[in-house]
Amino acid sequence: MAAYDKADLERRMAGAVEALKHDLSGLRTGRASTSLLDPVTVEVYGAQMPLNQVATVSVPEPRMISVQVWDKSNVGPCDKAIRSAGLGLNPIVDGTTLRLPIPDLTEERRKELAKLAGKYAEDARIAARNVRRDGMDSLKADEKKGLFGEDDRKKLETEVQKLTDKTIGELDAAATAKEKEILGK
C-alpha cells in the first residue's frame, strides 16, 4: 500500500470540488449554454462518445442551442441521446441540425433540478469521504510499517479530517449556491 501523501489527498479532494462544479454548470437556469449538453453521451460507431465529439454545439440565440451533427447517420442517435439525458430538452430535427429550444422553467422543473443538484453534491461528498478513508488507511499501514508512532498517526488523521471538513464545506457551499440560483431565491 502506498505511503501517506498529503498533497495527493489535497489534489483528489480538490478534484471532487471541481467535478461538482462542472456537474452543476450543466444544470440550466433558463439560459442556453453549450455546457448543458456536456453530460450527454451518444452511442455511435459501437462506442459511447460525448456529444461534442460527433457534433458542433453552439448557442445562436439566448434561448436556443444548435447541434450540427457531422455524420447524417448519427442524427437519430444524437436526438435519442439528448431526449433520454433527462435534461428536459426536446430536439427539433432539421436535416443534420438539431435545434433545442430552452423552455421556461416551471416550479416543478426547478424543484427537480434542485434535487439533481443535491444528488450531485451527495456524490461529491461520498467521493471526498472515500479520499479520507484512503488517507486514513495509508496512515494505519504506515504506522504498522513503523514509519511513525501512534501519536503522529493521530495528529495526521486530525489533519486529514480537517481537510475533509473543509472540502465538504466547499461542496455544500457550491451546491447551496446552485440550488438558490435554480429556485430563484
Side-chain angles (χ1 to χ4, degrees):
M1 182 173 254
Y4 170 72
D5 184 359
K6 183 178 178 183
D8 182 55
L9 293 178
E10 290 172 344
R11 179 190 58 76
R12 290 172 59 197
M13 289 209 185
V17 173
E18 288 306 311
L20 175 64
K21 288 180 180 178
H22 180 267
D23 288 345
L24 292 177
S25 73
L27 295 178
R28 64 187 177 90
T29 56
R31 289 177 293 222
S33 168
T34 58
S35 65
L36 291 176
L37 299 178
D38 284 351
V40 177
T41 57
V42 184
E43 186 171 341
V44 291
Y45 311 121
Q48 290 287 338
M49 299 177 76
L51 181 65
N52 63 6
Q53 290 186 8
V54 295
T56 302
V57 180
S58 62
V59 180
E61 300 172 27
R63 301 192 49 83
M64 175 77 68
I65 298 175
S66 175
V67 179
Q68 180 69 44
V69 182
W70 300 326
D71 185 350
K72 190 172 185 172
S73 65
N74 292 336
V75 172
C78 288
D79 178 42
K80 181 180 175 188
I82 292 169
R83 288 180 192 275
S84 64
L87 300 172
L89 301 174
N90 294 313
I92 300 167
V93 180
D94 182 17
T96 59
T97 302
L98 301 174
R99 300 192 195 302
L100 297 120
I102 306 297
D104 289 330
L105 288 177
T106 63
E107 188 64 26
E108 181 181 324
R109 183 68 180 143
R110 287 178 189 271
K111 287 179 182 176
E112 287 176 21
L113 290 172
K115 278 185 187 177
L116 191 56
K119 179 187 174 301
Y120 288 163
E122 185 56 32
D123 291 345
R125 284 190 286 270
I126 289 169
R129 289 186 203 113
N130 287 340
V131 172
R132 176 188 62 193
R133 183 195 64 226
D134 293 347
M136 297 292 191
D137 289 348
S138 66
L139 285 172
K140 288 174 185 170
D142 288 350
E143 181 187 14
K144 283 183 180 178
K145 291 178 188 174
L147 297 177
F148 46 77
E150 183 180 352
D151 290 343
D152 291 334
R153 177 185 54 86
K154 288 189 180 206
K155 187 168 62 171
L156 290 171
E157 282 180 348
T158 303
E159 282 182 23
V160 171
Q161 185 60 48
K162 284 181 183 177
L163 176 62
T164 304
D165 293 342
K166 176 181 161 253
T167 301
I168 288 178
E170 291 174 20
L171 295 171
D172 289 343
T176 302
K178 188 63 173 187
E179 286 175 6
K180 283 182 180 177
E181 181 184 339
I182 289 170
L183 296 172
K185 293 181 181 178

